[in-house]
Amino acid sequence: MARVKKHSAARMSPSNPLDLLVEKTKGKKNTAKKTNGGKLKTTGGTATHCPLGIPGPVSTSVELSPAGAPALPQSSQDSVLPAVVLPKKVRTGRPSSVQPGDLWCSLCGNGHASSVTCSKCGRSNCPGCIPELAGMEKEELDSCTYECPTCCGRRNIFYGLWKGDAPVFPQGMTIANTAKGDHGVRYKSSSVIVLEFIMASVAGKGTPALALHVQLQGFFSQNPQDLKYRCVPFDVDPSNLEPHREKVARVVNLLNRENFDQAILIVHTHSDKERGDLMYCGDGNTTSQSTGISDFFEKVIGPDLREYFQSRKYSMMVLAACGSVVRIPAACEELREVANSFKFADTFAFSEADLDPYRITPFITEFVMNVLVTGRPSKDTVPAALSLSSTLHYTGVVHLQWTETGVEMERFERVHPTARPNGGRFPLQCKICRAYRPWVVPKATKKRYNIKQVFKCGTKKCSGFLVVRRLKGYRPLPDRLDKIFAALISPP
C-alpha cells in the first residue's frame, strides 16, 4: 500500500483550492516525469546534441563581454538544520557572550551590537526584546549562562540568565512584545552567495537570481558584505572551452577569497524537448547545441565549483529549464547524479513543457527566505512555499534532497477536482459545443476527487465528455485542502 506523509502549510483560500500530489522515489531510479527547455526572451526547442570539447556540426559561439553582473551584498548564517535543544537539566556551562552585531535576534529579527547568545542553541536576543539585558555590564553577562525563550519552552517561566543552577532573576525576565516570527524561529546570519549561470541569449533583467538577491538585501542591511550576487553568462564554443573556463576560474577565485557559508546556484538555460539535454550555446532555437546534464555541469559549471559547493555549510541549486529535464527518465536520472555529486542540500527543477522562469521567482524567494533566513527545515518549507506561490500553479515541481544515503526525490503537482485532475491540464474548450472551460464532475459522482476521472461538458444539451488518464503512482488527496498537504508515496 502507498504510505501517506503529511505536511503542514498555511491556510489556502477556499475559492482557489490547491493541493499537491507528490511522488517520492529513493535509490537509483527516478520515476518523475517533468521539465522542458527554458523560456525567456527566446523559446526552447530542439538542439544539435554535441558534447562539450568536441567540435559540432554547427558552431554558434558569441563573444561575450568579460564580466558578470556587479557584486552586491550577501548574508551570514549558521547551519540550516534545526537547532538541537538540550534537556532542561543538562547545562553546558558555556557563558553567554556579547556578539559584535553579526547575529540577529530570534524575536525581533534585528541585529544588535549587544546581543546575547543562547548557550544551548546559539540563538541570540537583543536588549530591545529582553530589557533586563540593557542594564547589565559585559563582565556580568560573561559570568552567566543564557537560555533563550525557545529553549526555555512554552508554559515555563523564562528565567533567561543563570549562575550555575540558580537564576539571576528569580521572578523571571521580561520578554518584550516584539516577535516577528513563529515560536522557534531562528533568524540566520551566515554569509550567502547567489551565483547565476545564464545562457547569453536569455539574459535580461528580473531573472529569478536577481529578484532573490534584491529580496535578501533587506535582511542584510546590518552586514551587507555578507550577501553577494555574481552572474556568469555563457555561450560556449564547443571546440574551445578555454575562454569559458577562465571566466569560471575568476569566479571561483572570488568565492574562495570571501568564503561564503551558504551558496545558491541558479542555472538558467533551455533544454532539448526530445532528450532533456541542456543547451550551452546559440539562441535557444535551431542553431543551439546541447549536451547531457552531467556533461553540462562538468564542462559549463566545472569541477572547481563542484568542490566549492561540496564544502559549504548549505548549498542549493535551481534549474530554470523546461520540463523535459525531469519528464525524460534518463535526463532526470542524470539530474539526480549531479545533485548527488555536488551535494546540493536542495535541488529544484520544473515540469512545465515551456517553462516561464519569471513565474518561479515567488516560490524560490519564499523557500530561500524560510530556509536561509528563518532557519526552517527544507522538508517543511516546500509545501508552504508552493501554497503561497500563485504564479507557480501552471507547473509541477521536482525537489531533490541530498542525504548521506543518497538523493531523495519528491514530485509536487498542483491538482484541482475540475481544473487540473492529477496535475494534467483540461482542454480550454469543448470540441462539440465550443464552450469555454465547461468541464464539471458528473452529478452521479459521490467522491470529490472523481475516482473514475470522467468529466462532462456543463453546457445544456451538450454530450461532450472527457476521460483523464490517471498518472501512475498517484492517489486522490483528502478533502481538507485548506489545512494539510499530503505526500503520496508510490509503492516500490
Side-chain angles (χ1 to χ4, degrees):
M1 293 180 61
R3 295 184 292 118
V4 177
K5 180 178 60 177
K6 296 180 180 179
H7 297 268
S8 62
R11 179 178 291 272
M12 292 167 290
S13 170
S15 63
N16 183 22
L18 167 67
D19 58 335
L20 301 174
L21 290 178
V22 181
E23 185 175 356
K24 181 174 181 180
T25 62
K26 291 185 178 181
K28 296 183 178 180
K29 289 190 177 181
N30 177 1
T31 59
K33 296 181 179 178
K34 296 200 170 196
T35 303
N36 224 26
K39 176 184 177 183
L40 248 202
K41 291 186 176 179
T42 58
T43 58
T46 60
T48 303
H49 181 79
C50 178
L52 286 166
I54 302 175
V58 180
S59 178
T60 58
S61 62
V62 177
E63 188 171 343
L64 300 174
S65 54
L72 296 172
Q74 192 173 2
S75 127
S76 90
Q77 281 180 336
D78 31 45
S79 169
V80 176
L81 298 176
V84 177
V85 179
L86 300 176
K88 179 86 173 176
K89 62 182 180 181
V90 179
R91 296 198 175 279
T92 63
R94 184 183 75 182
S96 59
S97 59
V98 176
Q99 301 297 322
D102 60 347
L103 293 178
W104 296 337
C105 175
S106 66
L107 293 171
C108 67
N110 296 323
H112 197 283
S114 300
S115 294
V116 177
T117 303
C118 177
S119 60
K120 290 185 177 180
C121 68
R123 290 180 176 89
S124 64
N125 294 128
C126 67
C129 294
I130 314 293
E132 286 86 352
L133 297 177
M136 300 184 68
E137 299 294 333
K138 180 181 182 303
E139 293 76 13
E140 189 177 5
L141 284 173
D142 286 344
S143 65
C144 302
T145 300
Y146 179 67
E147 182 183 72
C148 72
T150 298
C151 292
C152 169
R154 296 177 183 269
R155 294 181 294 278
N156 293 323
I157 297 175
F158 174 58
Y159 292 113
L161 288 172
W162 298 77
K163 281 194 174 180
D165 289 329
V168 176
F169 298 93
Q171 74 281 11
M173 299 182 75
T174 305
I175 303 176
N177 191 26
T178 55
K180 292 185 175 67
D182 298 334
H183 173 74
V185 161
R186 179 175 192 163
Y187 292 98
K188 315 289 282 180
S189 57
S190 293
S191 54
V192 177
I193 176 70
V194 179
L195 183 60
E196 180 179 36
F197 274 69
I198 184 167
M199 194 170 179
S201 63
V202 298
K205 297 181 179 179
T207 64
L210 279 170
L212 174 61
H213 174 255
V214 171
Q215 182 79 9
L216 287 172
Q217 281 181 313
F219 289 86
F220 295 94
S221 57
Q222 300 280 343
N223 46 350
Q225 72 283 355
D226 286 338
L227 175 67
K228 288 263 187 331
Y229 165 80
R230 284 291 180 272
C231 179
V232 183
F234 61 87
D235 194 337
V236 183
D237 182 348
S239 62
N240 184 12
L241 299 179
E242 286 308 312
H244 179 75
R245 286 172 175 166
E246 291 173 1
K247 185 191 303 184
V248 174
R250 291 194 294 269
V251 173
V252 172
N253 290 336
L254 168 69
L255 299 183
N256 288 331
R257 285 199 306 270
E258 303 199 18
N259 194 29
F260 299 99
D261 294 325
Q262 325 260 2
I264 302 171
L265 173 64
I266 298 183
V267 179
H268 198 155
T269 185
H270 296 298
S271 68
D272 182 85
K273 292 185 177 182
E274 297 178 357
R275 297 182 303 273
D277 293 350
L278 296 179
M279 301 185 189
Y280 57 84
C281 72
D283 60 4
N285 295 306
T286 55
T287 58
S288 297
Q289 293 185 32
S290 65
T291 188
I293 297 175
S294 298
D295 189 53
F296 178 92
F297 275 84
E298 182 69 22
K299 305 292 177 52
V300 177
I301 308 301
D304 292 339
L305 275 175
R306 181 176 62 235
E307 292 178 7
Y308 181 83
F309 282 102
Q310 289 174 345
S311 63
R312 299 308 94 193
K313 289 182 179 179
Y314 175 82
S315 64
M316 68 172 285
M317 191 268 285
V318 178
L319 181 55
C322 294
S324 59
V325 172
V326 292
R327 284 179 172 178
I328 298 173
C332 195
E333 184 59 31
E334 281 194 74
L335 180 62
R336 183 200 290 272
E337 292 171 359
V338 166
N340 188 50
S341 173
F342 278 71
K343 294 185 178 180
F344 292 121
D346 295 291
T347 300
F348 292 98
F350 304 89
S351 64
E352 178 60 24
D354 293 308
L355 183 73
D356 181 352
Y358 298 105
R359 290 178 176 268
I360 70 175
T361 299
F363 167 73
I364 298 302
T365 54
E366 180 68 20
F367 178 84
V368 170
M369 290 301 206
N370 276 275
V371 174
L372 269 69
V373 174
T374 61
R376 300 179 188 276
S378 61
K379 208 76 167 176
D380 301 334
T381 299
V382 174
L386 288 170
S387 71
L388 296 173
S389 303
S390 59
T391 59
L392 197 73
H393 289 176
Y394 80 110
T395 181
V397 177
V398 173
H399 176 216
L400 299 95
Q401 189 169 39
W402 188 87
T403 68
E404 293 291 345
T405 57
V407 175
E408 296 182 357
M409 179 178 292
E410 288 182 316
R411 175 182 166 192
F412 293 81
E413 291 292 339
R414 177 178 182 262
V415 302
H416 187 281
T418 59
R420 284 181 69 95
N422 282 329
R425 290 186 182 180
F426 273 123
L428 293 178
Q429 190 179 45
C430 175
K431 292 184 178 180
I432 296 178
C433 68
R434 305 293 182 180
Y436 174 64
R437 293 186 183 273
W439 308 110
V440 297
V441 178
K443 291 182 179 179
T445 303
K446 294 181 179 179
K447 294 190 176 181
R448 178 172 185 172
Y449 274 93
N450 190 9
I451 299 300
K452 293 183 179 180
Q453 297 290 284
V454 175
F455 301 85
K456 68 179 292 291
C457 178
T459 307
K460 289 183 179 180
K461 298 182 180 180
C462 180
S463 60
F465 71 94
L466 181 69
V467 178
V468 178
R469 183 167 175 259
R470 183 177 296 282
L471 297 180
K472 183 180 179 181
Y474 283 74
R475 300 291 184 273
L477 294 181
D479 287 342
R480 299 302 299 274
L481 303 181
D482 59 335
K483 288 190 174 180
I484 66 171
F485 286 84
L488 302 182
I489 304 170
S490 299

